[in-house]
Amino acid sequence: MTETLANDRPILAGEPSSFAVPAGCHALAVREVQHYTDTLFRFRIARPPEFRFRSGEFVMIGLPNAEKPVFRAYSVASPAWDEELEFYSIKVPDGPLTQHLQKIRPGDTVLMRKKATGTLVNDALLPGKRLWMFSTGTGIAPFASLVRDPETYDKFEAIHLVHGCRTASELKYGEDLVAALRSDPLIGELVEGRLHHYTTVTREPFPRQGRVTDLIASGRLFDDLGVPRMGPAEDRAMICGSMAMLKDTKELCLGHGLEEGANNKPAQFVVERAFVD
Ligand code: A2P
């Protein structure tokens, strides 16, 4: 497949792409790019006025750099009320999309398919007391959307955003997000005392270490937070991370008596994968 342009950058600001926008796609301007580490960055793009989605859903993202562009699923990290769309991405040197996407700058163009979908939505869960958001790596993205949505606080008393990464520097996106939320004039008061951010690191020294799954299995997560062990009466969960993490965390939810839900059959937990390679 011819997917690369000869130059170093995928699409130069202001330069029209020589490829037509594929049917069913929006071509959207990049507004902001922030790099966190060699492997992580976030970007914000213009939101088409007619584009509707539910917080927690994902869309397909590509670049106008080929006749048949490569698309990958990206959770929208901004909430449904935001006038821009935010995404949080890894950078893979040979990744068919991310090797190019990591080079975008404000003014460049990104393609987005028109339909949003996904299972990590409030509608797929029955009401409950605590909502657990279990994430690793870029799996925090859909939760970045949901923790900024007032609807999440209407439905649950307490929201526990649990994020596990290899290194402390990989936690920064989530830390910045939560800090901004707490000082936000509109939603800050709503999240006060109700949004709890629990971070853990696996590959370097950090105040809390260990995999999210091990912290659940040992009960340390619940002890640290002073809440009872997870159970079907009060707890609901959403899971987003690598395939292995999804599988292991799902087993733990089942083991704690929670039932898996879906859009058409709300229950006690839902699973999604952080797709991008
Ligand atoms: P570890 O360092 O022990 O592999 P990745 O970047 O590979 O997706 O990993 C992100 C974080 O998820 C790392 O802290 C990693 O821990 C952790 N992780 C990897 N596999 C699992 C799993 N099956 N269950 C829970 N956490 C996992």
Side-chain angles (χ1 to χ4, degrees):
M1 185 182 293
T2 53
E3 61 146 331
T4 53
L5 289 180
N7 64 24
D8 192 35
R9 293 183 52 206
I11 300 297
L12 288 171
E15 257 184 35
S17 166
S18 50
F19 300 99
V21 175
C25 277
H26 293 290
L28 301 164
V30 176
R31 293 275 171 79
E32 191 186 334
V33 182
Q34 183 179 0
H35 293 270
Y36 292 92
T37 68
D38 288 352
T39 58
L40 293 168
F41 73 114
R42 79 175 173 109
F43 58 98
R44 292 177 69 87
I45 62 175
R47 177 176 179 174
E50 71 272 27
F51 176 67
R52 293 273 169 271
F53 72 104
R54 292 178 296 174
S55 295
E57 288 188 317
F58 67 85
V59 289
M60 303 303 289
I61 291 286
L63 285 168
N65 60 354
E67 210 161 300
K68 286 193 180 163
V70 174
F71 281 89
R72 289 288 181 271
Y74 272 87
S75 294
V76 182
S78 46
W81 52 260
D82 201 328
E83 63 192 23
E84 289 181 348
L85 299 171
E86 180 173 306
F87 302 95
Y88 183 48
S89 179
I90 53 166
K91 312 175 200 176
V92 181
D94 303 324
L97 176 61
T98 64
Q99 65 170 302
H100 304 296
L101 193 63
Q102 63 181 280
K103 295 176 189 147
I104 55 169
R105 291 185 202 168
D108 290 347
T109 303
V110 162
L111 300 177
M112 184 182 86
R113 290 220 178 106
K114 289 185 177 169
K115 203 176 147 27
T117 182
T119 52
L120 298 187
V121 291
N122 283 320
D123 293 347
L125 291 178
L126 296 169
K129 185 170 177 182
R130 282 175 292 272
L131 174 59
W132 295 96
M133 297 173 165
F134 295 124
S135 65
T136 55
T138 53
I140 194 175
F143 304 139
S145 174
L146 284 157
V147 297
R148 291 189 263 191
D149 192 331
E151 197 191 293
T152 309
Y153 299 85
D154 291 343
K155 192 153 175 179
F156 302 97
E157 274 177 37
I159 286 95
H160 292 281
L161 174 61
V162 180
H163 191 205
C165 288
R166 296 179 182 199
T167 63
S169 62
E170 294 173 354
L171 295 172
K172 181 148 173 55
Y173 176 80
E175 288 167 349
D176 288 356
L177 165 84
V178 171
L181 204 46
R182 293 201 202 285
S183 59
D184 186 283
L186 290 177
I187 205 172
E189 223 168 278
L190 187 64
V191 312
E192 179 64 37
R194 298 176 63 198
L195 172 63
H196 307 275
H197 188 204
Y198 186 95
T199 52
T200 181
V201 159
T202 50
R203 300 202 187 183
E204 66 180 20
F206 191 72
R208 189 179 302 113
Q209 284 182 273
R211 286 186 170 190
V212 168
T213 41
D214 292 336
L215 294 162
I216 299 172
S218 69
R220 178 169 169 199
L221 170 71
F222 311 109
D223 295 344
D224 282 351
L225 293 164
V227 298
R229 300 285 146 109
M230 194 162 60
E234 295 189 325
D235 295 280
R236 304 292 173 258
M238 294 181 170
I239 312 172
C240 193
S242 64
M243 287 300 279
M245 179 275 190
L246 297 179
K247 183 174 162 291
D248 294 349
T249 314
K250 175 177 169 166
E251 287 304 318
L252 285 165
C253 286
L254 292 169
H256 283 76
L258 274 62
E259 259 179 55
E260 187 169 1
N263 272 287
N264 57 1
K265 189 180 170 291
Q268 290 145 352
F269 79 95
V270 279
V271 184
E272 191 129 276
R273 34 189 303 250
F275 310 81
V276 181
D277 61 296

